[in-house]
Amino acid sequence: AYRYNNIEPELPEVDQIGSENELEEFSKVVREALIGSGALETHTFTLSSKRKLFDNMEMDERPHASMANALTEDYEVVRSWMTPSIFEVLKENRHHSYPQTFFEVGEVVEMPEAENKKKICYLKAGDVDYTDARKALQVLENALGLEFVLEQEHYEYGKSKRSAKISIEGEEIGYICEFKDGVADNWGLDVSVSGFEIDLEELEEFY
């Protein structure tokens, strides 16, 4: 064996200057805007379960990446969207007072392309409605100097006439809604929840 102390240090012949990834720089702007609005940032697991991703959200099962030989049902799939992860954070914080506001910038895997995507999800729970989520979205608009177009849309997990798709220049980038009471109940929550989820990579293209 060659002893570690015998290794002579050498400077690598690399003529490059490191810099932060542009998407990460953009993510910082988004994070700071939502933190400034009073939301708490959280970090959750990318692994989840079909029950959390679909059943608890009262929606039909959609294409997703499954784990081979998963050890437990709770970590059998890779999440395809962020919202259930933040609902789980709200569930774990039921013993704290309301309102509660959390957001996360994180990775999901979208099928069938098996493409990694970075998204932002924001949820607020308590005596809240669609307007609370819209106010937070407006904070993001002002921070980025962008204007979102909201069009009423039906989502399985959202209340009728209190759900909309988020677009910029005709390109859909996410959703915003007040969630159905049944969805909140499925997570053990006896308060209202509203929020939004946006594709951060698509959003960056307009920044």
Side-chain angles (χ1 to χ4, degrees), residues 17-69:
I17 298 176
S19 62
E20 191 169 24
N21 179 278
E22 289 184 1
L23 183 58
E24 288 303 318
E25 291 181 349
F26 178 66
S27 297
K28 279 186 177 180
V29 177
V30 172
R31 286 187 176 102
E32 289 172 1
L34 292 180
I35 290 172
S37 73
L40 297 176
E41 184 172 12
T42 185
H43 299 279
T44 59
F45 295 114
T46 55
L47 295 182
S48 188
S49 69
K50 290 186 283 187
R51 174 178 55 82
K52 295 174 184 176
L53 291 182
F54 309 115
D55 297 343
N56 281 9
M57 301 304 297
E58 299 194 348
M59 57 188 291
D60 295 332
E61 191 171 310
R62 297 180 182 178
H64 57 274
S66 298
M67 299 293 293
N69 303 316

Side-chain angles (χ1 to χ4, degrees), residues 104-172:
E104 180 179 7
V105 174
E107 299 278 345
V108 305
V109 173
E110 293 187 347
M111 300 295 283
E113 296 85 1
E115 182 180 9
N116 281 46
K117 300 283 285 185
K118 180 161 283 192
K119 298 199 174 187
I120 170 78
C121 180
Y122 168 101
L123 295 185
K124 185 170 185 176
D127 184 16
V128 302
D129 57 21
Y130 175 88
T131 305
D132 292 275
R134 182 65 185 95
K135 288 178 181 177
L137 192 63
Q138 199 160 26
V139 169
L140 205 54
E141 284 181 289
N142 294 337
L144 301 176
L146 299 173
E147 185 175 348
F148 300 140
V149 176
L150 306 183
E151 299 177 72
Q152 187 172 307
E153 185 63 271
H154 167 74
Y155 296 107
E156 296 162 283
Y157 43 83
K159 289 185 177 180
S160 176
K161 298 182 180 180
R162 298 185 186 181
S163 305
K165 65 179 180 181
I166 306 170
S167 303
I168 300 183
E169 297 180 16
E171 183 174 341
E172 185 175 351

